[in-house]
């Protein structure tokens, strides 16, 4: 038992070391883009967060034009917006664990729920929105590539200038 645990620890240390080496901006951005895609955000906000989501889903706004700061972005993603189609993404939203807009008494009516995001993923996603989405209204090939596995030649990015 003990040696297995030690082995796991060593492996964890190794992985963490590798992550530290790889933690260049592009690596962090790519990870944020993966969470964006897997989190279902693209359905409503569009593949490039520019507000042109799948017509089958409620329309989410263009997040490249958002005025929200870090804490507000984090709260709206964790908590959603009651009475709108923006869903909450944290399992214990609206409790003492994750107070939302000052509410801890449970999820208010007409609040949409979506798949859960773990806290570290939420932070990575918010970092990504701040570094690669907010304020970037002219989409470049490189920015588009972030949402396409880093591939500058992705067909979806051909229309954007290099
Ligand atoms: C079911 C559709 C839907 C999904 C899924 C969704 N959103 Fe939204 N989102 C919306 C809508 C609609 C609004 C506008 C709410 C309103 O009217 O205030 C919104 C608002 C926001 C805002 C606030 C923008 C601002 O400037 O006020 C942020 C940030 C945001 N969404 C991020 C995300 C992220 C990140 C995800 C994925 C984890 C996500 N959304 C998933 C529909 C969605």
């Amino acid at each position: 038992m003990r040696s297995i645990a030690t082995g796991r620890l060593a492996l964890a240390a190794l992985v963490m070391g590798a992550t530290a080496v790889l933690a260049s901006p592009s690596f962090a951005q790519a990870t944020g883009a993966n969470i964006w895609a897997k989190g279902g955000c693209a359905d409503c906000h569009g593949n490039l967060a520019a507000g042109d989501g799948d017509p089958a889903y409620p329309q989410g706004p263009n997040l490249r034009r958002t005025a929200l700061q870090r804490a507000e972005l984090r709260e709206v993603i964790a908590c959603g917006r009651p009475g709108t189609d923006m869903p909450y993404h944290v399992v214990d939203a609206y409790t003492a664990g994750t107070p939302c807009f000052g509410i801890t008494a449970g999820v208010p009516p007409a609040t949409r729920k979506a798949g859960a995001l773990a806290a570290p993923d939420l932070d990575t996603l918010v970092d990504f929105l701040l570094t690669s989405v907010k304020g970037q209204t002219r989409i470049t090939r490189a920015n588009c590539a972030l949402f396409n596995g880093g591939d500058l030649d992705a067909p979806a990015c051909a229309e954007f200038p290099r």
Side-chain angles (χ1 to χ4, degrees):
M1 275 310 261
R2 199 167 192 166
S3 70
I4 290 174
T6 314
R8 283 214 183 115
L9 258 179
L11 186 68
L14 215 123
V15 170
M16 282 168 76
T19 308
V21 171
L22 287 171
S24 65
S26 62
F27 183 78
Q29 287 167 345
T31 308
N34 291 346
I35 298 165
W36 170 262
K38 287 193 191 129
C41 318
D43 291 338
C44 300
H45 292 279
N47 287 334
L48 303 178
D52 45 0
D54 187 326
Y57 289 83
Q59 172 90 45
N62 182 347
L63 298 181
R64 293 175 181 271
R65 297 188 186 282
T66 187
L68 302 186
Q69 311 285 324
R70 176 179 296 276
E72 300 162 315
L73 286 170
R74 202 177 190 285
E75 186 167 47
V76 77
I77 298 166
C79 304
R81 278 215 183 113
T84 77
D85 282 318
M86 175 61 192
Y88 72 91
H89 290 87
V90 165
V91 278
D92 64 348
Y94 300 94
T95 69
T98 303
C100 288
F101 316 111
I103 302 170
T104 55
V107 181
T111 307
R112 238 181 131 115
K113 183 177 199 265
L117 282 177
D121 284 350
L122 184 57
D123 288 326
T124 305
L125 180 57
V126 170
D127 282 344
F128 174 69
L129 292 176
L130 288 170
T131 56
S132 306
V133 172
K134 182 181 172 181
Q136 309 220 5
T137 49
R138 245 191 90 256
I139 302 173
T140 60
R141 184 80 60 93
N143 187 272
C144 177
L146 291 175
F147 292 83
N148 288 276
D151 181 5
L152 285 167
D153 297 318
C157 299
E159 65 180 285
F160 300 108
R162 282 197 186 260

